[in-house]
């Protein structure tokens, strides 16, 4: 699957977002090394901070299906990932992140998206 095909999957799934408060629908499609594509959308809540981003629903779903950090080749997102989702992308060790930003399509590594990042190294 090419990056543009993966982004097309993100574009398509964005229609299923639940975003009645912002009316800003986001889709995310994640490609695993085994060729699986796992999709996510943002799901908002009347208690605003409880809403979840498309990226996090996609990765939570992937982990629930048995995938682990390091299993991910690419994540395609219909919007530029927020700061918190950049931390998730880093944690999941995705190779590359492809996202729409205004009229451009940008490809970056999680490290470049989140320089000088926080990482916990348990004793
Ligand atoms: N949103 C995402 O789903 N992903 C991001 O990385 C940026 C923001 C969602 C959260 C909220 O439902 C809406 O976009 C407006 O912020």
């Amino acid at each position: 699957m090419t990056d543009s095909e993966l982004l097309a999957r993100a574009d398509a799934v964005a229609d299923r977002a639940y975003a009645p408060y912002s009316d800003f629908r986001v889709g995310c499609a994640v490609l695993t090394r085994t060729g699986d594509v796992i999709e996510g959308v943002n799901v908002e809540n009347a208690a605003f901070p409880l809403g979840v981003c498309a990226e996090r629903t996609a990765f939570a779903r992937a982990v629930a299906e048995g995938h682990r950090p390091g299993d991910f080749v690419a994540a395609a997102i219909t919007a530029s990932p927020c700061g918190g989702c950049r931390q998730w992308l880093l944690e999941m060790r995705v190779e590359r992140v492809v996202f729409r930003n205004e009229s451009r399509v940008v490809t970056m590594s999680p490290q470049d998206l989140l320089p000088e990042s926080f990482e916990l190294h348990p004793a």
Side-chain angles (χ1 to χ4, degrees):
M1 156 144 328
T2 66
D3 286 356
S4 60
E5 286 169 338
L6 195 65
L7 189 54
R9 291 282 296 263
D11 287 334
V13 79
D15 283 345
R16 296 211 293 266
Y18 175 70
Y21 305 105
S22 72
D23 206 29
F24 187 74
R25 292 162 191 266
V26 183
C28 175
V30 176
L31 177 66
T32 69
R33 297 195 189 286
T34 48
D36 294 313
V37 175
I38 296 138
E39 298 168 331
V41 296
N42 54 327
V43 181
E44 297 185 345
N45 191 278
F48 292 174
L50 298 182
V52 287
C53 290
E55 298 91 318
R56 291 183 228 186
T57 65
F59 282 110
R61 208 172 159 184
V63 169
E65 288 178 14
H67 300 287
R68 311 307 293 174
D71 289 350
F72 307 107
V73 181
I77 313 158
T78 60
S80 178
C82 77
C85 286
R86 293 177 190 217
Q87 187 80 42
W88 269 64
L89 291 159
L90 191 81
E91 180 87 23
M92 291 293 133
R93 303 209 306 271
V94 186
E95 267 179 35
R96 60 181 182 278
V97 185
V98 183
F99 57 95
R100 294 192 186 285
N101 196 349
E102 307 288 326
S103 56
R104 295 176 306 140
V105 174
V106 182
T107 303
M108 290 176 71
S109 68
Q111 290 77 14
D112 285 345
L113 283 166
L114 196 65
E116 297 292 331
S117 60
F118 170 75
E119 285 181 81
L120 191 61
H121 298 292

